[in-house]
Amino acid sequence: MFIIASILLTVIIYLVSKRIYIKTGKMVFSPIILCPVIIIAFLMFFHIPYESYAKGGNWLSYMLQPATVALAVPMYKYRATVKKYLFEIMISVTGGAIVAIVSSMLIAQFLGVNSTFVTSLAPRSVTTPIAMSVSEIIGGNPSITAVFVICTGIIGAVLTSVILKYLPIKNPVTKGMLFGISAHGTGTSKAYEAGQVEGTIASLAMIFMGIITTVIAPEVVDLCVHILVK
C-alpha cells in the first residue's frame, strides 16, 4: 500500500511542479528543482523515513532505464546533422570531460577536503548511473558522487540557460552541446525545450560524456591525485 502511495505522491507532485513551471517559465520552478524540495519537506513534516518512501519511489527510477532508449528516436531522425558535426562533438565532449574532472578535483583540493571526497567529485558531470560506477572504480564514494551529479545537472542547466539568454549564440548544435556537456540529463531535458535539434545534440553529448569519462577517468584521476594529493 505504501509503495502505491509513494508512486502517487511523486507523480502528483511532479505534475503540479510541471504546471507551475509551464505557467511561470522560470527555471527555479522546474520540476527537477521543485519536486525534490516538496517531497523532502513532505517526508520531514510527516516524519516518514526515506527508506519507506524509496520502496515506491525506486519503481519510478527503474522506469528511467528503458525510457532512455527513446533518445535514439530523435538521433535517428536528425542523423544527418549528427553525422555532419560528429567530429566537432567528439572533440568538444572529450575536452569537456577532461576539464570537468580536473576542475572538480582542483576545487575540492583547494577547499581542503580529503582524498576520497576529491575522487568522488571527479565524475560528477555525467549521468548518475555511470558516474556512480566510475566513482567506485576510481576509489570514490558513489553516494557522494550521486549528490553532486544532481547538483551539477541543476546548476549547469540554470547557468547554461542564463548564458544563452545573454550571449548571441544561435546555432542549435552549439546550444545542445552546452546543455549536454554541462548538465547531462537535466540539460538534455532543458535542451528539448529549445528545440528538437538542440535536444538531440544534447542527448548525444550526454552519452559521449558518459563513455569518454568512463574511459579516461581512471588515468586522469590518478594523474591529478599524484600531483595534488601526494
Side-chain angles (χ1 to χ4, degrees):
M1 185 65 183
F2 201 87
I3 293 176
I4 298 175
S6 297
I7 294 174
L8 288 176
L9 172 68
T10 305
V11 172
I12 291 171
I13 292 176
Y14 170 76
L15 293 175
V16 172
S17 302
K18 186 177 181 181
R19 182 176 292 273
I20 294 173
Y21 177 58
I22 293 173
K23 187 173 182 179
T24 61
K26 296 184 181 297
M27 187 62 189
V28 69
F29 294 118
S30 169
I32 298 170
I33 300 175
L34 197 57
C35 195
V37 171
I38 295 175
I39 290 175
I40 292 171
F42 181 88
L43 296 179
M44 292 180 66
F45 183 81
F46 289 100
H47 303 287
I48 300 174
Y50 173 76
E51 291 75 16
S52 299
Y53 164 78
K55 291 178 181 178
N58 285 340
W59 281 96
L60 296 174
S61 299
Y62 297 147
M63 294 179 188
L64 289 176
Q65 299 176 19
T68 55
V69 178
L71 293 173
V73 176
M75 285 186 192
Y76 178 78
K77 184 178 180 180
Y78 294 97
R79 61 190 181 279
T81 301
V82 172
K83 184 177 180 180
K84 180 180 179 180
Y85 294 102
L86 186 60
F87 178 75
E88 289 84 352
I89 292 172
M90 290 298 296
I91 294 297
S92 300
V93 170
T94 302
I98 294 173
V99 170
I101 294 172
V102 174
S103 63
S104 298
M105 297 187 71
L106 282 173
I107 293 171
Q109 181 66 20
F110 177 77
L111 294 175
V113 298
N114 61 54
S115 59
T116 300
F117 202 97
V118 172
T119 52
S120 299
L121 280 175
R124 63 168 177 79
S125 290
V126 297
T127 189
T128 307
I130 297 177
M132 293 179 72
S133 297
V134 173
S135 178
E136 190 172 3
I137 291 171
I138 62 179
N141 185 319
S143 298
I144 295 175
T145 301
V147 172
F148 281 95
V149 167
I150 296 171
C151 293
T152 297
I154 294 172
I155 295 172
V158 171
L159 292 180
T160 301
S161 298
V162 172
I163 290 172
L164 292 176
K165 182 178 180 180
Y166 292 102
L167 292 182
I169 299 175
K170 304 299 181 183
N171 190 312
V173 175
T174 304
K175 291 181 179 179
M177 290 293 292
L178 286 171
F179 277 115
I181 293 174
S182 66
H184 43 81
T186 307
T188 299
S189 176
K190 186 66 178 176
Y192 272 110
E193 294 180 15
Q196 284 293 312
V197 175
E198 289 89 336
T200 299
I201 299 299
S203 59
L204 186 64
M206 176 186 68
I207 293 170
F208 282 166
M209 275 287 285
I211 296 172
I212 292 172
T213 299
T214 302
V215 173
I216 69 171
E219 287 73 19
V220 175
V221 169
D222 282 346
L223 179 62
C224 289
V225 169
H226 179 75
I227 295 173
L228 297 174
V229 179
K230 295 182 180 180

